Amino acid sequence: MKDNLTTCDRCGSDACYIQEVNHEIKNHMCYGCGFLTNSLMKEGEQFYEEQIEILPELYKDLMDEDKNTGLVWMPNTINLPNKGMVFADGKNSLNWAWAAVKAIPMPEDEKEKFKLKGKDYKFKMDMENMKHYPEGDFMEALEYIGIFGK
Ligand SMILES: [Zn+2]
């Protein structure tokens, strides 16, 4: 992964991870600012228009077009069922933070309830241990949920 790290067009950190999906599509995901974009995140692209439809208001508010590339950056959402979640949380682009929520082992009684519905969950998001991190501390938020551990 390290080989694909480059300078982020958005925040200037050197922690932007680039992944080539195919010749036309490249993902940019920055661990510095926590934002991401890809070749289809452009005004007029169907993918972009679809994102606009489904994204929460805050995400739309935080979307930011790179004047040079035309790519629109938006906050990342991390959702790892057995580790936790990191997402942008707040009222608007001036008043928000990264929210980090750890996954905890699913309590036995709740596990049973889900089993009745045919689902088998080993972990659940424990909203009570949610922590907030300022925009520049995306990495700390990832660390909190233990994303870099085994
Ligand atoms: Zn960045």
Side-chain angles (χ1 to χ4, degrees):
M1 171 181 122
K2 211 169 180 195
D3 302 345
N4 296 320
L5 288 179
T6 89
T7 304
C8 173
D9 287 335
R10 184 177 178 273
C11 72
S13 82
D14 58 2
C16 190
Y17 175 57
I18 301 214
Q19 183 194 30
E20 218 164 304
V21 179
N22 58 39
H23 283 306
E24 266 122 63
I25 304 174
K26 244 191 209 176
N27 289 329
H28 306 245
M29 186 190 140
C30 182
Y31 286 98
C33 58
F35 277 57
L36 55 81
T37 187
N38 70 50
S39 316
L40 300 177
M41 284 294 290
K42 274 183 182 174
E43 234 160 294
E45 290 280 357
Q46 190 185 345
F47 177 81
Y48 172 77
E49 305 300 335
E50 283 169 4
Q51 294 295 306
I52 291 282
E53 291 293 317
I54 57 170
L55 283 171
E57 283 305 316
L58 176 64
Y59 276 65
K60 284 190 252 181
D61 210 18
L62 286 168
M63 277 184 166
D64 199 12
E65 188 188 304
D66 183 321
K67 294 280 173 287
N68 295 320
T69 59
L71 298 180
V72 178
W73 291 80
M74 66 175 193
N76 204 343
T77 301
I78 307 284
N79 191 350
L80 301 170
N82 59 354
K83 295 234 186 251
M85 307 188 291
V86 173
F87 55 94
D89 187 28
K91 286 193 173 63
N92 54 54
S93 61
L94 299 173
N95 187 6
W96 73 281
W98 294 110
V101 179
K102 268 186 195 170
I104 56 167
M106 181 74 77
E108 283 306 320
D109 54 328
E110 289 181 46
K111 220 179 198 173
E112 292 308 314
K113 276 186 220 156
F114 280 117
K115 274 195 179 146
L116 294 176
K117 295 181 198 157
K119 305 214 192 295
D120 187 13
Y121 295 131
K122 293 185 173 58
F123 294 90
K124 74 166 198 173
M125 297 299 164
D126 181 15
M127 300 311 272
E128 275 169 33
N129 65 35
M130 184 191 292
K131 267 179 111 175
H132 283 96
Y133 294 85
E135 177 174 357
D137 287 348
F138 182 67
M139 288 281 274
E140 267 89 308
L142 293 181
E143 246 160 60
Y144 176 66
I145 68 165
I147 207 167
F148 302 115
K150 285 271 158 69

